[in-house]
Amino acid sequence: MYNRLILSALAILISIFLMACSTATTQQPQPQTPAITASSNNQKIAKRVVSLSSLATDIIYQLDKTKLVGIAGNSLFKNEPGFKDIPRVSEGQTPPSLEKIVALKPDLVIGIEGFSTQVIQKLQELKIPTLLTQLKTWDSLENLTQKLGDLIGANPEPLLTRYKSFLPEKQEQNISTLVLVSNQPILTPNKSSWAGSLLEKFQLKNVAAELQGKSPFGGYVTLSAEKVLDVNPDTIIVINPPQATSNKEILESFSKEAFWQKLKATQNNRVYIFDYYGLVNPGSINAIEKTCQQLKKRFICSNLI
């Protein structure tokens, strides 16, 4: 069990690293040359899209699934019947196949900064229009949806309206919260991350929001046991890795740490398990919605204040 938890933690760290390889200051998706004109008067509509991003895949599917001709394999869509017949250009952490992408004759390929960069550069050399995306804030989710709607000639408003339903009504919260992505090392998101942005949207006080450190993962910092005891949050969110390790095993791995039972959240039974997809990696629209529902249930409707 211990070895499996170590492997799960390593998988999360690698995934975060892949998402964070790009320049940290680039918040919004930027079109890469050759660019597709986004002007409402002179816009070339993409009709054959290959998406290497699970979130972009889901957004395009919701906007106009007929435009999606190829996707990267992802566990989020493994059992989704609507995605079953869409060709895969990669599986898991395997790099996308340039040959498979080109064979699909796309007029737009969507990648992820820091992960899809190499294949995107080769596609640019072939004069295939591309778009690299990076998602760290709720605003960047809305901007990406608007951008993709413009590029494929679809109305993004219904989807943008749906996003708004995920969020709580404006209210003051004063619940100090610590998100623990792993315990070896103790890794937590600050404000420059998707998780940090989502906590802010729910008016939760992220105790690591302003912390900076030497972690190689953009938007994340490593903490010492002493620092965790120092911040001593009201609640703790523990991330369950994509490999679907049981909640019991995840909690047992943290309970072995000497500081764990000294924490206010542990003593008050305010430790919650959240999935990796939705909170650490946005993943898909459904994953984001599920996470928001869980945040509402745990922090808005449970009278923790």
Side-chain angles (χ1 to χ4, degrees):
M1 180 184 74
Y2 180 77
N3 288 337
R4 182 165 35 157
L5 287 173
I6 292 295
L7 290 173
S8 297
L10 286 173
I12 283 187
L13 299 183
I14 291 170
S15 297
I16 293 173
F17 178 72
L18 290 174
M19 290 192 299
C21 286
S22 55
T23 305
T25 55
T26 305
Q27 295 290 330
Q28 310 301 338
Q30 299 294 327
Q32 305 296 310
T33 54
I36 294 180
T37 305
S39 167
S40 58
N41 296 322
N42 186 27
Q43 179 171 321
K44 181 179 178 181
I45 302 300
K47 297 180 179 180
R48 298 183 60 82
V49 180
V50 172
S51 174
L52 309 179
S53 155
S54 62
L55 182 59
T57 294
D58 201 14
I59 292 172
I60 293 173
Y61 185 86
Q62 300 297 327
L63 293 175
D64 184 353
K65 61 184 179 182
T66 67
K67 302 293 179 64
L68 208 53
V69 299
I71 63 175
N74 190 288
S75 60
L76 289 167
F77 306 129
K78 187 175 181 180
N79 298 315
E80 293 289 337
F83 295 90
K84 182 181 65 173
D85 296 326
I86 302 176
R88 267 56 171 175
V89 297
S90 69
E91 289 293 343
Q93 299 297 336
T94 305
S97 167
L98 179 65
E99 291 76 14
K100 289 182 179 180
I101 294 173
V102 173
L104 292 169
K105 299 180 180 179
D107 51 18
L108 175 63
V109 179
I110 302 167
I112 306 170
E113 283 205 44
F115 181 61
S116 313
T117 306
Q118 187 174 6
V119 71
I120 289 293
Q121 288 174 345
K122 291 179 179 178
L123 290 166
Q124 291 172 2
E125 293 172 3
L126 296 172
K127 307 302 181 184
I128 296 175
T130 64
L131 177 74
L132 280 175
T133 65
Q134 184 185 56
L135 203 73
K136 285 190 176 183
T137 67
W138 189 269
D139 287 345
S140 65
L141 169 64
E142 294 178 335
N143 291 340
L144 176 60
T145 302
Q146 181 70 59
K147 178 70 174 178
L148 293 177
D150 291 343
L151 290 174
I152 67 172
N155 179 14
E157 290 306 320
L159 202 49
L160 293 172
T161 299
R162 182 182 169 192
Y163 295 162
K164 290 181 173 62
S165 71
F166 298 170
L167 300 175
E169 295 182 4
K170 185 74 174 179
Q171 66 181 68
E172 288 297 322
Q173 296 274 16
N174 192 30
I175 305 170
S176 60
T177 305
L178 176 66
V179 177
L180 295 176
V181 176
S182 67
N183 66 332
Q184 294 184 353
I186 303 172
L187 194 68
T188 187
N190 61 21
K191 65 180 181 180
S192 301
S193 66
W194 169 257
S197 175
L198 201 53
L199 292 182
E200 185 178 352
K201 280 292 181 181
F202 278 77
Q203 294 91 50
L204 298 174
K205 182 183 177 182
N206 178 7
V207 295
E210 302 298 332
L211 297 181
Q212 300 296 327
K214 297 181 180 179
S215 168
F217 313 115
Y220 287 80
V221 294
T222 54
L223 302 180
S224 64
E226 293 74 20
K227 186 61 177 179
V228 175
L229 285 169
D230 182 49
V231 297
N232 199 13
D234 296 323
T235 63
I236 293 174
I237 294 175
V238 177
I239 299 300
N240 194 1
Q243 290 72 19
T245 305
S246 73
N247 290 355
K248 181 180 179 182
E249 288 178 341
I250 290 294
L251 290 178
E252 284 179 351
S253 72
F254 279 95
S255 67
K256 294 175 182 177
E257 304 294 338
F259 65 85
W260 189 250
Q261 298 302 328
K262 299 176 184 179
L263 296 170
K264 181 167 47 177
T266 305
Q267 295 169 356
N268 294 331
N269 197 29
R270 291 179 177 174
V271 179
Y272 308 115
I273 308 291
F274 277 63
D275 287 340
Y276 167 81
Y277 286 114
L279 188 56
V280 175
N281 181 337
S284 69
I285 297 170
N286 284 341
I288 295 171
E289 182 176 26
K290 179 182 176 182
T291 294
C292 289
Q293 289 173 343
Q294 193 174 1
L295 286 169
K296 285 180 181 179
K297 178 181 178 181
R298 295 301 187 188
F299 296 96
I300 306 300
C301 305
S302 57
N303 299 316
L304 284 177
I305 300 177

